């Protein structure tokens, strides 16, 4: 048997809290999704003004980052024309996201969940996801 | 043009807050989803111990209640063998839920969103969804 | 709560009317879809001679333009190899369209719906979508 | 954070080993699927003669048993016409299985995975799934 560490609901809220604060500071309302390490949704917030399409995209960015244990922007690089993972962006019914804004959440070198952000530019989305993680890390004892 | 009233993020959190409180009082951790009046996800919480399958089921109950403007348990009655809506339960790729636990959220006689709850019995799910609405109503000025 | 403005059925028909007129003037029968601001279908016309594949494509272009609040051809630019949104074209099960021909419909600076056109070249599709909007704007009091 | 116990690959093989032995003893070649506690596939065997349709059905039975923490035949009872969970069988795109043959795998009172079996009668499928669990339990120190 394996022993797995996983985000709980308090972690999930802390991640969303940090992401929302940064989202407000840059003036871009976001969709923010938190998944467990298996890619299943734990918590979600579509801030007032977040895009409808970003509902699914944020969830799928978090899913990808957690379940593939890789930031989504790294898949963006790896899936360029001629690169080894070319075409991966349509895998899993299109759920495998290669656009920046999805980050794995790690603890003791293990992926224990994912955060996915969407509605701004990919760079903005990624900075908001990182802010969620930074806030969560700062709150840990 | 039409003018539509829609839950905002504060409403969504209030609905989840009330649902979680009742969920804890009956000792059944739940998945709770809030959608806008068009059935798009606004907020979601999988409480620690909520079922994985209930992630999708809660979202789809909220979707159905909001977008069809009907409690999901009423579809349960209407879709029994021989009843008029027989077979509706597999519509929209199975997203149209006929199991209790999805309720429309109404304001001034209009549906402005939906709440969907899953992980307990359908009766428990429905009572937790109702508790979310009651709490939201009590908080309104 | 939020107050949302949304296209009504009369708006939708006016948009289609303008699009069909331009479609006939360039001799390319089109599929034309109108969605509300949440991306849900309001009205649709496959003109005699419109392509079968364009049924879905027009609907998804209107969905994308409304729900992401962005013309689909702008996603075409942003999702080129090496560009920030590379790979977005397969998101949401492939519904996020990056081919020209989808335009948001705006009123008072807010997106209140979308129009999507398909069957011609992307440039033709876009011109027909714009003609629908121009006709709708001209008819407004 | 939560600490989760999960089947590992050795457990999965042991479960399949026991299921295959019983399958051979009753002369019905089976599809056998093992998932982790989140419902994701860990191991799979379509014995020579197993049905093609049962590939998906076995996987979805294991998914349901693990992710809903309930034997699939219990959903069969609960989802009969007039029963509380009527209509649940088409949930999650039809993945929620209510036909017997899916069992949760438990350890210390927690669900740590699922086994799903298909190709025979539901009673045969269930007995083969149970044989897998019995064999796995017997092998544990």
């Amino acid at each position: 048997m394996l022993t797995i560490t996983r985000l709980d609901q308090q972690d999930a809220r802390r991640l969303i809290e940090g992401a929302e604060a940064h989202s407000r500071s840059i003036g871009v309302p976001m969709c923010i999704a938190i998944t467990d390490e298996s890619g299943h949704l734990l918590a979600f917030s579509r801030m007032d003004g977040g895009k409808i399409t970003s509902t699914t995209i944020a969830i799928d960015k978090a899913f990808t980052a957690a379940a593939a244990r890789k930031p989504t922007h790294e898949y963006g690089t790896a899936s360029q024309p001629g690169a080894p993972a070319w075409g991966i962006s349509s895998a899993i019914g299109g759920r495998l996201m290669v656009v920046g804004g999805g980050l794995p959440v790690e603890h003791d070198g293990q992926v224990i969940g994912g955060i996915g952000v969407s509605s701004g530019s990919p760079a903005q989305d990624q900075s908001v996801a990182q802010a969620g993680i930074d806030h969560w890390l700062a709150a840990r004892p």
Side-chain angles (χ1 to χ4, degrees), chain A:
Chain A
M1 284 178 282
L2 303 174
T3 300
I4 306 292
T5 304
R6 172 179 292 174
L7 295 174
D8 63 17
Q9 185 58 222
Q10 191 180 26
D11 295 317
R13 291 189 183 199
R14 202 73 174 158
L15 286 156
I16 288 182
E17 195 174 82
E20 288 188 340
H22 189 58
S23 170
R24 278 188 293 267
S25 80
I26 63 172
V28 183
M30 295 289 194
C31 291
I32 303 156
I34 311 298
T35 65
D36 64 25
E37 92 301 334
S38 291
H40 291 305
L41 193 64
L42 271 177
F44 175 80
S45 170
R46 174 154 55 94
M47 296 170 72
D48 296 335
K51 294 180 183 177
I52 299 291
T53 44
S54 291
T55 304
T56 302
I57 292 172
I59 292 173
D60 288 350
K61 283 180 180 175
F63 161 77
T64 300
R69 301 192 295 261
K70 193 191 287 282
T72 54
H73 64 270
E74 292 190 11
Y75 273 118
T77 306
S79 65
Q80 293 293 321
W86 161 255
I88 198 75
S89 62
S90 47
I92 317 179
R95 292 202 71 197
L96 198 142
M97 295 298 300
V98 307
V99 180
L103 295 175
V105 179
E106 299 186 22
H107 174 71
D108 277 352
Q110 286 207 312
V111 173
I112 63 171
I115 180 170
V117 177
S118 179
S119 284
S121 70
Q124 288 172 327
D125 296 347
Q126 187 178 331
S127 75
V128 168
Q130 186 61 53
I133 292 176
D134 293 344
H135 179 72
W136 171 74
L137 285 170
R140 305 222 22 248

